[in-house]
Amino acid sequence: MAAVVVLGGVLAACAAPSTPSPSASASLPAGIGKIRHVIVIMQENRSFDTYFGTYPGADGIPMQNGSPSVCVPDTATGACVKPYVDHSDVNGGGPHGQNAAAGDIDGGKMDGFIAQDLNADKGCANVTDPTCSGSAQPDVMGYHVQTDIPNYWSYAHDFVLQDHMFEPNASWSLPAHLFLVSEWSAACTQHNNPSSCSNALQSPGSPPDFGTAHAAPIYAWTDLTWMLHRHQVSWGYYVVTGSEPDCENDDALTCAPVKQRSTTPGIWNPLPYFDTVKADGQLGNIQPADSFYSAARAGTLPAVSWVVPSGELSEHPPSPVSFGESYVTSLVDAVMSGPDWSSTAIFLTWDDWGGFYDHVAPPSVDVNGYGLRVPGIVISPYARQGFIDHQTLSFDAYDKFIEDVFLNGARIDPRSDGRPDPRPDVREALPILGDLSVDFDFSQAPRPPMLLPVHPATTLTGTPQPAV
């Protein structure tokens, strides 16, 4: 396997490492039991190309003689706009609902990004509304480089970068987060009756804090916490609310950069509305993020953790890229500094593409997706170093990995999970889905922590002052 190396301070590549096919990993690798903690960190609204489009060896922006060789038509000017370097810390992005996804993809031509942005709502009061664009001037063709997001590129270089991670659903944040914890997005009419649910790619029923006041949604179908509870596997869902966790040291290696006063929208925190979580008496497992920092410090992390940000730290436009990277670094540093690091796998991703350009057409696997490509990074003492995973993946792969490690391969499957619902398919069983276990080498000695500065020097411009 050829690794990606650093030459002259800039990442360069030898030959890109190859990825074993999913069929080669049908049986679990020896040593996978060394993983006793799985953490999924979910950020917001970035395509693969907008963060890693120039990463050496990855399936990034097509280039010729160092310049992008692709372009997207600007329907307002008639020009064809190439991807361009954008050092702005605050981006606008574009619409990212079901219609925008279809428009951006445009039958596989991947050329609708500017047109969709020009037709989007502007100046929306709710920046998380997927019909909105955050900028009067389209910036969806802009991309960031290594010096803008050095910590993210360091994680990719030191551990594993996944360059074919697709949002599981071709729509926006709420369905993405529902897929993250349940592999489905549905609308239900009766509590505790999974058969009352029907497929809902775009509108599964929004929490009352999204848009105008309305009743809480009914999420009656089966989710992963139901399976974890049945197998007595601990879990936690951590939401950034309240005040910033205290720093452990003067170098601020394990705290976020701003006061975390923003209330995380329910669209990023759907579990309180699941009938299963209420019935299992596990609403208390949904906790503020400072509980995650405390558990990481004490070595008491649950087997499965999901961590979601506040709006300010989410990277969801118009939130600054730098705030999000600093916050994610604080989470990773906290785990690396604690006793659970040697038995942990961290999966870092972004919930949807946010309207930003990506050149790879997503595969069509069912009526829901896949959606567009997003970055994916694996951080673990057993992760391969400098490895680029080219498998086709989606968030379903996280659930599959958790089920393999902790549930003896049991699936969220209406035929076997005890709560049959009418979901279109069993997402973990789709033949196209890759196997995350190939991103690990359990024969290697666990690698030591690689702590990074929470506030790295960057080439980002226009960084706003943090809220106080």
Side-chain angles (χ1 to χ4, degrees):
M1 180 186 73
V4 180
V5 295
V6 177
L7 297 177
V10 178
L11 289 177
C14 303
S18 61
T19 301
S21 66
S23 60
S25 305
S27 59
L28 297 180
I32 198 169
K34 295 177 180 179
I35 300 298
R36 298 191 297 277
H37 306 278
V38 172
I39 300 166
V40 181
I41 300 173
M42 179 71 78
Q43 292 294 99
E44 297 287 318
N45 289 51
R46 301 287 164 170
S47 71
F48 184 88
D49 278 345
T50 200
Y51 270 5
F52 292 99
T54 57
Y55 190 90
D59 186 2
I61 299 168
M63 297 280 186
Q64 186 173 6
N65 299 323
S67 176
S69 58
V70 290
C71 64
V72 168
D74 182 335
T75 53
T77 66
C80 200
V81 180
K82 292 185 177 183
Y84 59 89
V85 176
D86 183 356
H87 295 297
S88 299
D89 200 0
V90 175
N91 303 128
H96 46 281
Q98 180 179 356
N99 291 336
D104 285 353
I105 295 167
D106 192 17
K109 292 187 286 185
M110 307 304 290
D111 66 356
F113 297 87
I114 296 177
Q116 290 298 311
D117 186 71
L118 291 173
N119 291 330
D121 297 332
K122 303 295 194 297
C124 302
N126 184 354
V127 297
T128 60
D129 188 330
T131 66
C132 294
S133 170
S135 174
Q137 297 296 321
D139 65 358
V140 294
M141 299 303 294
Y143 63 87
H144 292 286
V145 294
Q146 178 188 4
T147 53
D148 290 342
I149 46 174
N151 286 6
Y152 286 154
W153 277 54
S154 290
Y155 291 140
H157 170 260
D158 292 339
F159 299 99
V160 175
L161 176 67
Q162 299 161 328
D163 67 355
H164 284 82
M165 172 64 73
F166 296 91
E167 181 190 6
N169 53 290
S171 61
W172 63 296
S173 292
L174 175 57
H177 284 262
L178 291 170
F179 268 92
L180 177 67
V181 297
S182 74
E183 305 193 18
W184 196 26
S185 173
C188 310
T189 59
Q190 299 176 22
H191 279 293
N192 300 304
N193 182 3
S195 65
S196 75
C197 304
S198 58
N199 197 71
L201 173 58
Q202 176 69 12
S203 303
S206 297
D209 56 0
F210 183 80
T212 58
H214 53 271
I218 298 175
Y219 298 154
W221 67 95
T222 306
D223 69 297
L224 186 56
T225 71
W226 163 259
M227 305 287 290
L228 296 174
H229 180 69
R230 292 183 72 193
H231 288 77
Q232 299 181 323
V233 177
S234 59
W235 64 270
Y237 194 97
Y238 299 94
V239 181
V240 175
T241 56
S243 60
E244 177 185 42
D246 292 335
C247 296
E248 289 188 11
N249 56 58
D250 293 335
D251 292 331
L253 281 172
T254 58
C255 71
V258 297
K259 291 292 184 182
Q260 299 169 12
R261 299 185 301 176
S262 300
T263 300
T264 301
I267 58 173
W268 301 343
N269 177 25
L271 280 178
Y273 303 108
F274 271 88
D275 292 336
T276 52
V277 178
K278 300 172 188 174
D280 290 340
Q282 295 196 299
L283 285 171
N285 292 25
I286 303 164
Q287 301 180 20
D290 55 0
S291 296
F292 178 85
Y293 288 90
S294 297
R297 182 165 52 244
T300 58
L301 287 168
V304 179
S305 300
W306 295 276
V307 191
V308 297
S310 67
E312 191 171 28
L313 306 181
S314 67
E315 298 163 65
H316 188 303
S319 298
V321 171
S322 63
F323 287 15
E325 184 182 50
S326 292
Y327 152 73
V328 169
T329 303
S330 77
L331 294 173
V332 176
D333 280 353
V335 176
M336 286 185 171
S337 299
D340 290 332
W341 163 245
S342 62
S343 57
T344 293
I346 301 172
F347 299 110
L348 169 62
T349 192
W350 286 255
D351 73 336
D352 65 53
W353 82 111
F356 291 104
Y357 174 74
D358 195 81
H359 79 283
V360 174
S364 178
V365 299
D366 59 22
V367 296
N368 293 310
Y370 294 144
L372 282 90
R373 208 169 49 140
V374 295
I377 297 175
V378 182
I379 304 168
S380 172
Y382 298 102
R384 299 177 185 271
Q385 184 170 9
F387 185 66
I388 301 176
D389 185 345
H390 301 302
Q391 296 180 102
T392 298
L393 299 167
S394 79
F395 303 169
D396 310 311
Y398 300 146
D399 286 3
K400 181 179 179 182
F401 186 84
I402 290 167
E403 291 163 348
D404 286 344
V405 171
F406 299 114
L407 307 181
N408 298 316
R411 303 292 185 230
I412 307 176
D413 184 340
R415 298 167 297 182
S416 60
D417 61 24
R419 295 186 82 254
D421 56 41
R423 63 183 62 215
D425 47 27
V426 179
R427 272 302 188 87
E428 308 98 306
L430 294 177
I432 197 172
L433 185 66
D435 182 353
L436 291 179
S437 69
V438 304
D439 294 339
F440 298 86
D441 180 1
F442 295 111
S443 66
Q444 70 186 20
R447 291 160 56 195
M450 299 181 182
L451 300 176
L452 297 178
V454 164
H455 302 289
T458 76
T459 49
L460 293 168
T461 60
T463 300
Q465 290 295 313
V468 294

